[in-house]
Amino acid sequence: MESSHIILPPDDDEEEQRRREEEDEEDDEDPWARSVLPPAAPERPFSASCVRISRDSYPNLRALRNASSVSLADAAYVKISEGDFGYVLDDVPHLVDYLPDAPTYPNPLQDHPAYSTVRQYFVNEDDNVPQKVIVQKNSRRGIHFRCAGPRQRVYFGSDEVKACIVTCGGLCPGLNTVIRELVCGLSHMYNVNKIYGIQNGYKGFYSSNYLTLTPKSVNDIHKRGGTILGTSRGGHDTKKIVDNIQDRGINQVYIIGGDGTQKGAYEIYKEIRKRGLKVSVAGIPKTIDNDIAIIDKSFGFDTAVEEAQRAIDSAHVEAFSAENGIGLVKLMGRYSGFIAMYATLASRDVDCCLIPESPFYMDGEGGLLQYIEKRLKESKHMVIVVAEGAGQDLIAKSLATSEQQDASGNKLLFDIGLWLTHKIKDYFKIKKMEMTIKYIDPTYMIRAIPSNASDNVYCTLLSHSAIHGAMAGYSCTVGIVNGRHAYIPFYRVTSTRNKVKITDRMWARLLSSTNQPSFLSPKDIDEAKETDRMANKPPLPTGISQASAIIMS
């Protein structure tokens, strides 16, 4: 087995000591490199080359030195390379990483009439997308991801491709559009005619018959909500899934789903690589909450915001038409309040927006209930938007119940809208102040509708990027980073969540629009700033303990 080590250098205060130890060493072996290698020898011999990375080039590598071990099973899939001026490429796995003699073929697109007039259609292998675009004069270049798009050489012949598509998790606008564009893109761009749909999520790999998909059979499915393949939570059995992939001769797997689904895709890829199979795994991130890390936004989000405004408009009409009327709208957002924030900003009729990232309290001076009372006395009506994950700590304290999870491992949430409704009614009953509250929960109406025009275009581009990547031999998640499509390692999109930064200008714009108090204490603000600071550090792959050891790749 051929491998390479990325070795983390010591901190400044140990550099001089290491140098003296090297000078005193009698033999040619590097004692520092030896000191970080695991004591147990590998079971079989392998050739290794060592690449020493500068301490500042990849900030999170500094944290590796504070732990004692590293999971080589996971580290084998991390590909990090360094360039001048602090350039770091967080690369994605490729077939040649474990099949170095895999044959290549000319890309069929070079003879495609639709692309004959496109100048420089193929992506240069050195084209990368920076994770951060706002820099200072002396900034280091930072972390980059491989640019998405078609390559001149592909690793699958059109006739040999057997592709399958699976949708997992909850519904989201745009699922059928992604399915359609995967099928049509494979067929029309790469002349693939063996495409199958996996029914009802991951469990469909081993419990259902495959559904044959053709451009004709998916022609108009983008006009419908939901997914024609069906979906489910849970059901992930890596061994059974890969056994089925191997038995059926599948060599391209397209997996559409959220962070839990992408973790499953990562496990599938690792098992495929362990078996030495010539299979590409392409993940297309799906979450209506827009909480996938790294990428600018997830498909279906624009549609969800647009539809959420309809519910807000209805709540405003109800509130405005009653004396001391309150319209309360609960929107999706288990951990991230993006839909609530953007729908509030777009509506301009909202007086208070509550999200999971911004703590609030109900009673006492400056609390939510006091603010509602003040607002009703001023305007005689009020509209409140709350994300489903907001205030869960308050409900848990009042109900004293244990935490439960769904089949995907997500925490089951209490109904914050219903709880707030009762709390508000009880408060004004004590105050002997008449009021009317209308509670609207459009959750399942929003996620079940077809995607709008903007999301349809986005779904098409995501699907095509996934196809180009799989044909080129990459296994990764696709997404837009700073407006450019990129290939992102699985572990980067699953190790953390994208959340609203309450220290950011966008949240300040919302507070200015609604004129609501922040409900934050100085301690809350300090904690939010520290969270933002830690979020800027590149995460390690899931399963890798932070260690002063090595990263096998």
Side-chain angles (χ1 to χ4, degrees):
M1 176 175 86
E2 185 172 339
S3 182
S4 64
H5 297 79
I6 296 178
I7 302 179
L8 179 71
D11 284 336
D12 294 335
D13 56 356
E14 299 179 55
E15 185 71 33
E16 188 61 32
Q17 180 182 353
R18 182 185 67 79
R19 190 177 294 111
R20 286 197 301 268
E21 290 175 352
E22 287 182 343
E23 291 173 353
D24 294 338
E25 197 67 30
E26 294 295 330
D27 55 29
D28 295 330
E29 184 182 6
D30 183 349
W32 179 78
R34 182 186 61 221
S35 68
V36 297
L37 288 173
E43 295 180 358
R44 55 196 178 101
F46 65 97
S47 61
S49 59
C50 295
V51 180
R52 192 162 293 166
I53 289 186
S54 70
R55 185 168 50 256
D56 298 324
S57 64
Y58 197 64
N60 206 51
L61 287 178
R62 298 189 66 182
L64 285 172
R65 61 177 295 96
N66 297 321
S68 59
S69 64
V70 64
S71 171
L72 298 182
D74 276 344
Y77 312 107
V78 180
K79 295 173 63 178
I80 298 171
S81 58
E82 183 188 38
D84 295 334
F85 309 109
Y87 167 90
V88 175
L89 174 63
D90 200 350
D91 208 353
V92 295
H94 193 276
L95 285 175
V96 297
D97 295 340
Y98 61 98
L99 298 173
D101 298 324
T104 63
Y105 310 89
N107 194 318
L109 285 175
Q110 67 185 12
D111 300 318
H112 199 293
Y115 300 100
S116 60
T117 59
V118 178
R119 186 176 63 175
Q120 197 177 349
Y121 183 73
F122 296 116
V123 174
N124 189 300
E125 287 301 321
D126 292 330
D127 288 347
N128 300 151
V129 178
Q131 185 177 0
K132 292 185 177 180
V133 293
I134 298 179
V135 297
Q136 288 74 46
K137 180 179 180 181
N138 297 321
S139 296
R140 304 181 72 83
R141 292 180 63 188
I143 299 169
H144 293 65
F145 302 108
R146 192 168 288 279
C147 187
R151 270 57 179 174
Q152 281 189 311
R153 306 289 296 182
V154 296
Y155 282 78
F156 296 92
S158 299
D159 293 337
E160 72 172 299
V161 174
K162 289 185 73 174
C164 69
I165 305 168
V166 62
T167 55
C168 305
L171 295 182
C172 176
L175 279 170
N176 277 335
T177 306
V178 173
I179 295 169
R180 181 189 188 279
E181 296 309 314
L182 285 173
V183 174
C184 293
L186 283 165
S187 179
H188 297 155
M189 292 191 296
Y190 287 97
N191 305 316
V192 174
N193 53 28
K194 293 188 283 285
I195 309 168
Y196 305 97
I198 310 300
Q199 299 180 76
N200 302 316
Y202 275 134
K203 67 180 181 182
F205 276 99
Y206 52 85
S207 64
S208 304
N209 291 325
Y210 285 17
L211 180 67
T212 300
L213 301 175
T214 65
K216 184 176 181 179
S217 67
V218 300
N219 183 54
D220 61 353
I221 63 172
H222 62 291
K223 299 175 183 178
R224 293 180 250 160
T227 165
I228 63 164
L229 299 179
T231 186
S232 66
R233 298 188 184 276
H236 187 278
D237 187 319
T238 303
K239 187 177 183 303
K240 284 185 178 181
I241 291 171
V242 178
D243 284 346
N244 199 271
I245 289 171
Q246 187 172 4
D247 291 344
R248 292 179 179 261
I250 298 296
N251 50 26
Q252 289 187 12
V253 184
Y254 296 91
I255 300 175
I256 311 166
D259 59 342
T261 301
Q262 299 305 311
K263 287 177 184 177
Y266 190 27
E267 294 303 314
I268 290 171
Y269 165 73
K270 288 191 284 187
E271 181 65 22
I272 284 170
R273 178 166 171 170
K274 188 185 300 183
R275 301 188 189 188
L277 305 179
K278 185 184 176 183
V279 179
S280 289
V281 180
I284 301 175
K286 174 231 61 171
T287 166
I288 202 169
D289 295 347
N290 197 40
D291 61 359
I292 295 288
I294 306 297
I295 65 174
D296 294 354
K297 68 175 179 178
S298 52
F299 73 83
F301 176 69
D302 285 351
T303 305
V305 171
E306 187 175 301
E307 190 67 15
Q309 282 191 82
R310 299 178 188 272
I312 294 174
D313 290 343
S314 298
H316 181 255
V317 170
E318 289 285 353
F320 186 79
S321 301
E323 182 181 4
N324 291 330
I326 299 175
L328 175 60
V329 180
K330 185 183 78 171
L331 298 176
M332 286 158 292
R334 177 181 295 272
Y335 304 106
S336 305
F338 286 102
I339 293 179
M341 181 176 72
Y342 277 83
T344 294
L345 282 168
S347 170
R348 302 291 178 175
D349 287 329
V350 179
D351 301 289
C352 185
C353 178
L354 305 172
I355 61 174
E357 296 88 340
S358 184
F360 65 94
Y361 56 98
M362 298 294 294
D363 304 303
E365 185 70 24
L368 177 61
L369 293 173
Q370 187 184 78
Y371 171 65
I372 293 173
E373 180 183 2
K374 174 176 175 290
R375 195 71 175 178
L376 288 180
K377 288 178 178 179
E378 292 174 351
S379 304
K380 303 301 181 184
H381 70 279
M382 184 179 187
V383 175
I384 303 172
V385 169
V386 58
E388 61 181 332
Q392 293 297 309
D393 56 332
L394 300 178
I395 308 176
K397 288 178 183 177
S398 66
L399 300 179
T401 58
S402 59
E403 183 177 302
Q404 296 179 326
Q405 295 181 333
D406 63 16
S408 295
N410 297 315
K411 180 176 69 174
L412 289 176
L413 301 179
F414 302 106
D415 191 333
I416 180 63
L418 192 61
W419 184 80
L420 278 176
T421 299
H422 290 305
K423 283 289 184 181
I424 293 170
K425 284 182 177 179
D426 292 343
Y427 177 82
F428 284 101
K429 185 177 181 180
I430 294 173
K431 288 285 184 176
K432 296 181 179 180
M433 180 176 170
E434 289 189 9
M435 53 79 65
T436 301
I437 186 167
K438 295 293 189 294
Y439 172 39
I440 299 174
D441 180 1
T443 300
Y444 294 103
M445 295 174 61
I446 291 175
R447 72 179 203 162
I449 65 173
S451 52
N452 63 14
S454 173
D455 272 325
N456 272 338
V457 174
Y458 186 27
C459 290
T460 300
L461 298 179
L462 280 176
S463 301
H464 287 188
S465 292
I467 293 169
H468 296 318
M471 291 297 295
Y474 295 112
S475 288
C476 56
T477 296
V478 301
I480 287 186
V481 179
N482 295 318
R484 305 293 297 184
H485 286 260
Y487 297 140
I488 309 164
F490 286 117
Y491 75 86
R492 290 302 302 271
V493 299
T494 60
S495 55
T496 186
R497 284 190 176 90
N498 185 30
K499 292 190 175 184
V500 173
K501 293 182 175 64
I502 60 174
T503 56
D504 189 68
R505 282 193 294 268
M506 187 60 78
W507 183 244
R509 292 185 184 105
L510 181 139
L511 296 179
S512 175
S513 170
T514 61
N515 291 315
Q516 71 186 69
S518 68
F519 302 112
L520 295 176
S521 66
K523 180 183 177 182
D524 292 329
I525 295 173
D526 290 340
E527 289 177 353
K529 289 181 178 178
E530 177 63 14
T531 301
D532 289 347
R533 188 184 70 82
M534 295 301 294
N536 288 329
K537 292 186 176 182
L540 287 172
T542 302
I544 296 184
S545 61
Q546 294 185 340
S548 58
I550 55 175
I551 294 181
M552 301 283 297
S553 64

